[in-house]
Amino acid sequence: MKRITLTLAALALAVLTVSAKPNKKNENKVIDKLKYTITYRTKSVRDTTKTDSVGRYNYQNDDMQLEVGEKVSYFYSATRRAYMENLLKSLGGNNIQIQTSTPSRGNLSMNFYRNYPTGKSTYLDEVLGEDFRIIEPLEQPKWDIIADSTKQILNYDCQMARCTFKGRTWTAWFTADIPLDNGPWKLCGLPGLILRAYDAKQQYIFDCVGMKQAAEGENITYNSDFDKYSTSTMKEFVDYQRKALPEDIFAAKGIKIEVSEEMKSEVQQLLAKPQPSNPLELY
C-alpha cells in the first residue's frame, strides 16, 4: 500500500501527482518539423462558484505554448510541463512529501494536437491521475469577422471575430500580418494568427505574449506514452471530470491518504465530493 503524508493545503497537488512516478523513459517520436512557437499568457477558472465581493473570478494562470509545424500544431501548458518535470526529479521511494511552496502547477493539463493523425485531432488530458485520449475529426469554428474593428496587440494591427463553438461564445483578435490560420486550443481558421481570445464570461482568456521562429532541427514530437491512455469521447471525458470522486480513484490505485487527526474530517469531505470542474467544452 502506498502512503502519502500531506497537509490539507497540499491535497489538491497530491491528487494530481500520485501517479506521476517515473517508469522507463518513453519515446518522443517526431511528427512534424517545428516552424514557430507562440506563447499565450492564459487565465482560467476552475471553480466558477467562487468570486470576490464584486463578482470577480479567482483566476489561475498558465503559460500555454502553441507549436506550429508544416502540417501539425501542438498546444500545451509549459507551466504544467515544468512543474511535472521538477516533480518527477524529486520523487523517490514510496513516500511523497509535497511542500505548499512548490512552484505553480498551472490549471490546464491538456495536450492538443491538431491534424495528428492526419485529418484528425488528438486531445489528451487527465482527471485525478486517470489519463484520457480523445481522437476526433478536425473541426474549426465558423467565425463572423467584425467589420471596422481594429486594435493593436504586440504592435500588430488586429481585427475582431466572433463565434459560438463547443458551448461557449468566443471573441478573438487576429492579425493578417502573421498568415497562420491558428490560435490557442481549437480556435483556428481565421486569415491570420489569433493574438487574443476570450469566452463571453471571461472564464478563459488567452493573450499572446511572444512568438519565436524555430531553430534548424527543432521538431514537434508525440510521446509514445500517450497511446496507453484510455480512449474516450469528449462528452465521456467531461462527464467523468464532473463526477469523479478522489476517494474512489485513490482506492482503486491502492493509495492511502494520511493526515493528522484534527484534519481528518475535513480531508474526508474533500475526498468524498467531485473536484470543481469548468471544462473548455460544455455539454
Side-chain angles (χ1 to χ4, degrees), residues 2 44 104 148 242 253 267 272-273:
K2 300 176 186 175
S44 60
S104 171
D148 301 322
R242 286 176 174 149
K253 291 178 177 290
V267 172
K273 67 179 182 180

PDB file of all heavy atoms in Angstrom, residues 2 44 104 148 242 253 267 272-273:
ATOM      1  N   LYS A   2       0.684   2.143  -0.971  1.00  0.00           N
ATOM      2  CA  LYS A   2       1.421   3.390  -0.989  1.00  0.00           C
ATOM      3  C   LYS A   2       0.877   4.309   0.101  1.00  0.00           C
ATOM      4  O   LYS A   2      -0.294   4.300   0.415  1.00  0.00           O
ATOM      5  CB  LYS A   2       1.286   4.084  -2.352  1.00  0.00           C
ATOM      6  CG  LYS A   2       1.798   3.253  -3.508  1.00  0.00           C
ATOM      7  CD  LYS A   2       1.528   3.972  -4.806  1.00  0.00           C
ATOM      8  CE  LYS A   2       1.904   3.110  -5.995  1.00  0.00           C
ATOM      9  NZ  LYS A   2       1.551   3.719  -7.267  1.00  0.00           N
ATOM     10  N   SER A  44      -7.585  31.144 -16.410  1.00  0.00           N
ATOM     11  CA  SER A  44      -8.743  30.253 -16.474  1.00  0.00           C
ATOM     12  C   SER A  44      -9.306  30.048 -15.082  1.00  0.00           C
ATOM     13  O   SER A  44      -8.630  30.252 -14.073  1.00  0.00           O
ATOM     14  CB  SER A  44      -8.363  28.906 -17.108  1.00  0.00           C
ATOM     15  OG  SER A  44      -7.353  28.265 -16.353  1.00  0.00           O
ATOM     16  N   SER A 104       4.103  26.929  -9.265  1.00  0.00           N
ATOM     17  CA  SER A 104       2.774  26.780  -9.854  1.00  0.00           C
ATOM     18  C   SER A 104       2.721  25.547 -10.736  1.00  0.00           C
ATOM     19  O   SER A 104       3.607  25.298 -11.546  1.00  0.00           O
ATOM     20  CB  SER A 104       2.445  28.019 -10.694  1.00  0.00           C
ATOM     21  OG  SER A 104       1.265  27.803 -11.439  1.00  0.00           O
ATOM     22  N   ASP A 148     -14.778  46.921 -39.447  1.00  0.00           N
ATOM     23  CA  ASP A 148     -14.365  48.184 -38.807  1.00  0.00           C
ATOM     24  C   ASP A 148     -13.941  48.002 -37.349  1.00  0.00           C
ATOM     25  O   ASP A 148     -14.024  48.946 -36.550  1.00  0.00           O
ATOM     26  CB  ASP A 148     -15.484  49.231 -38.890  1.00  0.00           C
ATOM     27  CG  ASP A 148     -15.880  49.543 -40.325  1.00  0.00           C
ATOM     28  OD1 ASP A 148     -14.972  49.580 -41.186  1.00  0.00           O
ATOM     29  OD2 ASP A 148     -17.079  49.712 -40.586  1.00  0.00           O
ATOM     30  N   ARG A 242     -16.557  15.798 -14.202  1.00  0.00           N
ATOM     31  CA  ARG A 242     -17.526  16.419 -13.301  1.00  0.00           C
ATOM     32  C   ARG A 242     -17.899  15.523 -12.122  1.00  0.00           C
ATOM     33  O   ARG A 242     -18.230  16.013 -11.047  1.00  0.00           O
ATOM     34  CB  ARG A 242     -18.799  16.774 -14.073  1.00  0.00           C
ATOM     35  CG  ARG A 242     -18.660  17.978 -14.988  1.00  0.00           C
ATOM     36  CD  ARG A 242     -19.922  18.202 -15.775  1.00  0.00           C
ATOM     37  NE  ARG A 242     -19.865  19.435 -16.557  1.00  0.00           N
ATOM     38  CZ  ARG A 242     -20.469  19.615 -17.720  1.00  0.00           C
ATOM     39  NH1 ARG A 242     -21.180  18.627 -18.239  1.00  0.00           N
ATOM     40  NH2 ARG A 242     -20.369  20.763 -18.358  1.00  0.00           N
ATOM     41  N   LYS A 253      -6.304   2.739  -6.886  1.00  0.00           N
ATOM     42  CA  LYS A 253      -4.859   2.714  -7.068  1.00  0.00           C
ATOM     43  C   LYS A 253      -4.128   2.182  -5.835  1.00  0.00           C
ATOM     44  O   LYS A 253      -2.896   2.105  -5.824  1.00  0.00           O
ATOM     45  CB  LYS A 253      -4.346   4.126  -7.397  1.00  0.00           C
ATOM     46  CG  LYS A 253      -4.769   4.636  -8.760  1.00  0.00           C
ATOM     47  CD  LYS A 253      -4.264   6.052  -8.985  1.00  0.00           C
ATOM     48  CE  LYS A 253      -4.627   6.545 -10.383  1.00  0.00           C
ATOM     49  NZ  LYS A 253      -3.880   5.855 -11.437  1.00  0.00           N
ATOM     50  N   VAL A 267     -10.521  16.489   5.411  1.00  0.00           N
ATOM     51  CA  VAL A 267      -9.956  15.795   4.253  1.00  0.00           C
ATOM     52  C   VAL A 267     -10.934  14.752   3.717  1.00  0.00           C
ATOM     53  O   VAL A 267     -11.098  14.596   2.504  1.00  0.00           O
ATOM     54  CB  VAL A 267      -8.611  15.152   4.620  1.00  0.00           C
ATOM     55  CG1 VAL A 267      -8.110  14.261   3.497  1.00  0.00           C
ATOM     56  CG2 VAL A 267      -7.582  16.230   4.916  1.00  0.00           C
ATOM     57  N   ALA A 272     -14.589  12.934  -0.681  1.00  0.00           N
ATOM     58  CA  ALA A 272     -15.893  12.339  -0.974  1.00  0.00           C
ATOM     59  C   ALA A 272     -16.763  13.200  -1.883  1.00  0.00           C
ATOM     60  O   ALA A 272     -17.939  12.888  -2.080  1.00  0.00           O
ATOM     61  CB  ALA A 272     -16.638  12.059   0.328  1.00  0.00           C
ATOM     62  N   LYS A 273     -16.221  14.255  -2.474  1.00  0.00           N
ATOM     63  CA  LYS A 273     -17.013  15.058  -3.399  1.00  0.00           C
ATOM     64  C   LYS A 273     -16.208  15.352  -4.654  1.00  0.00           C
ATOM     65  O   LYS A 273     -14.972  15.411  -4.606  1.00  0.00           O
ATOM     66  CB  LYS A 273     -17.470  16.355  -2.736  1.00  0.00           C
ATOM     67  CG  LYS A 273     -16.358  17.338  -2.394  1.00  0.00           C
ATOM     68  CD  LYS A 273     -16.947  18.593  -1.768  1.00  0.00           C
ATOM     69  CE  LYS A 273     -15.843  19.614  -1.461  1.00  0.00           C
ATOM     70  NZ  LYS A 273     -16.396  20.837  -0.848  1.00  0.00           N
TER      71      LYS A 273
END
